[in-house]
Amino acid sequence: LPTKPVRGQVVFVKPNSESKTISHTLQDAGYLTPLAPEITDRSFHCIGATYHAKPVHENQCALDTNTLLKEAGNKHPAFSTLTENDVLGIRIGYRLSTPDKLPLIGPLVDPEKMKLLYGKALRDGRVRDLPALNPEYGEWIFLGMSSRGITFSSYGAEILASLMCGEALPVE
């Protein structure tokens, strides 16, 4: 399938007196959260997230941490003085992405037949009018949500359930 891993990183930072007053998540090419409830012995803000679809630099973790701290300072004055000393932790994860950033939803098909009939389309997403493939019985996929998992998951699950039950799709 035409998918690739995309690296993402978030940082968890110490709160300060001004940042404790933030009441909602701030978004703009990334995000920063209000104070997270204490789950351990510390409260923190989460700042994220980076997005790297290509191979990363050997010091990518440090580069991303610095980028995220700088971007947070640009988003809200409470974070303008953040340094690496304010970082409580980081998390790196990988998202599965497709060339058009839309998830793949539907029945699983024979991979050899798909390569034979769809090979060019899988390499170059501009191919149209492809023949239908017969699905493998009882096997379904819903993947490639990339950084939009929360957005796509409920709607995609409804689409997948409709496909599996042979019902009308909840989309045009």
Side-chain angles (χ1 to χ4, degrees):
L1 296 173
T3 60
K4 62 183 173 186
V6 176
R7 181 187 182 281
Q9 179 176 320
V10 298
V11 294
F12 306 104
V13 297
K14 298 175 190 174
N16 58 45
S17 58
E18 191 178 355
S19 72
K20 290 178 181 181
T21 64
I22 296 172
S23 62
H24 58 281
T25 300
L26 303 173
Q27 286 183 258
D28 179 29
Y31 60 87
L32 58 91
T33 66
L35 199 57
E38 288 187 32
I39 342 178
T40 60
D41 59 340
R42 295 183 175 173
S43 291
F44 57 87
H45 296 281
C46 179
I47 301 170
T50 60
Y51 190 96
H52 298 288
K54 297 187 184 209
V56 295
H57 190 272
E58 63 185 41
N59 295 327
Q60 196 64 52
C61 184
L63 293 170
D64 283 351
T65 297
N66 290 331
T67 297
L68 291 168
L69 295 178
K70 182 179 176 185
E71 288 175 358
N74 293 336
K75 283 182 182 58
H76 197 284
F79 297 99
S80 62
T81 60
L82 284 176
T83 69
E84 289 183 21
N85 293 333
D86 296 308
V87 175
L88 297 171
I90 63 168
R91 181 177 182 277
I92 298 168
Y94 291 84
R95 315 162 180 109
L96 189 62
S97 184
T98 62
D100 62 4
K101 309 289 188 281
L102 295 172
L104 300 173
I105 305 172
L108 190 61
V109 298
D110 180 290
E112 294 306 315
K113 288 180 185 173
M114 185 170 72
K115 282 181 192 175
L116 179 67
L117 294 172
Y118 282 35
K120 187 171 188 277
L122 293 174
R123 289 185 302 279
D124 177 8
R126 296 177 294 230
V127 177
R128 301 286 183 245
D129 300 321
L130 298 167
L133 290 171
N134 294 325
E136 297 292 312
Y137 177 76
E139 296 185 28
W140 302 84
I141 59 171
F142 178 22
L143 52 87
M145 292 177 269
S146 191
S147 56
R148 296 173 181 87
I150 292 173
T151 305
F152 286 144
S153 59
S154 296
Y155 199 32
E158 187 65 33
I159 292 169
L160 182 59
S162 297
L163 287 168
M164 293 172 80
C165 295
E167 298 173 353
L169 296 178
V171 294
E172 292 183 16

